[in-house]
């Protein structure tokens, strides 16, 4: 997988394992107390909870990250792209924070959609 502007192996592996449906491997990229905040959700904390959430909600998901930036002098990354699910497709931005062990401490997924598009997704 290639993402313009991003070469960090943890970030690249996140998308590779997510797209392969290897949700246990995806969750292992997180710090043991790491969190993921998916759209319309409270943060999901811990590897097991993240794996369980992905198994329930991400089956059939394909993420297509296009480009990203590493925020200077931080361990933060921002990646834009698209997510395709069996019933819809939406532009998204992923925000990642890594710790000194190169584990994900937090990721937030933001939908880049109009209010009308969001209402269709929630319906």
């Amino acid at each position: 997988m290639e993402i313009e502007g991003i070469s960090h192996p943890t970030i690249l592996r996140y998308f590779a394992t997510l797209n392969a449906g290897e949700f246990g491997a995806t969750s292992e990229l997180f710090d043991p107390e790491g969190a993921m905040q998916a759209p319309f959700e409270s943060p999901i904390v811990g590897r097991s909870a993240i794996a369980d959430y992905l198994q329930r909600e991400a089956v059939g998901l394909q993420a297509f990250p296009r480009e990203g930036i590493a925020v200077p002098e931080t361990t933060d990354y921002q990646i834009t792209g698209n997510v395709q699910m069996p019933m819809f497709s939406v532009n998204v931005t992923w925000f990642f924070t890594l710790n000194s062990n190169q584990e994900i401490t937090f990721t937030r997924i933001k939908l880049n959609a109009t209010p009308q598009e969001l209402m269709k997704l929630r319906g």
Side-chain angles (χ1 to χ4, degrees):
M1 166 149 317
E2 292 183 21
I3 304 170
E4 183 180 330
I6 300 293
S7 61
H8 196 287
T10 300
I11 304 293
L12 298 177
R13 183 138 175 76
Y14 171 90
F15 289 108
T17 58
L18 185 68
N19 284 347
E22 297 171 356
F23 304 129
T26 306
S27 70
E28 288 297 315
L29 297 169
F30 283 78
D31 176 271
E33 299 301 318
M36 173 175 35
Q37 186 170 7
F40 312 118
E41 301 285 341
S42 297
I44 300 135
V45 179
R47 291 174 176 167
S48 178
I50 290 168
D52 290 346
Y53 173 82
L54 291 172
Q55 190 61 50
R56 280 192 323 274
E57 300 294 333
V59 172
L61 177 145
Q62 287 294 295
F64 297 97
R66 286 188 297 270
E67 60 186 353
I69 59 167
V71 180
E73 300 182 31
T74 71
T75 57
D76 295 345
Y77 297 82
Q78 180 178 327
I79 293 108
T80 58
N82 180 274
V83 166
Q84 293 184 358
M85 293 291 289
M87 301 298 289
F88 67 87
S89 174
V90 65
N91 290 323
V92 299
T93 301
W94 293 268
F95 300 90
F96 291 91
T97 300
L98 303 181
N99 64 20
S100 60
N101 294 326
Q102 308 310 309
E103 296 168 315
I104 301 167
T105 58
F106 186 73
T107 189
R108 180 170 66 95
I109 300 107
K110 178 186 172 210
L111 301 180
N112 300 328
T114 66
Q116 293 81 8
E117 291 169 325
L118 290 175
M119 290 304 294
K120 290 178 187 175
L121 296 179
R122 292 192 81 167

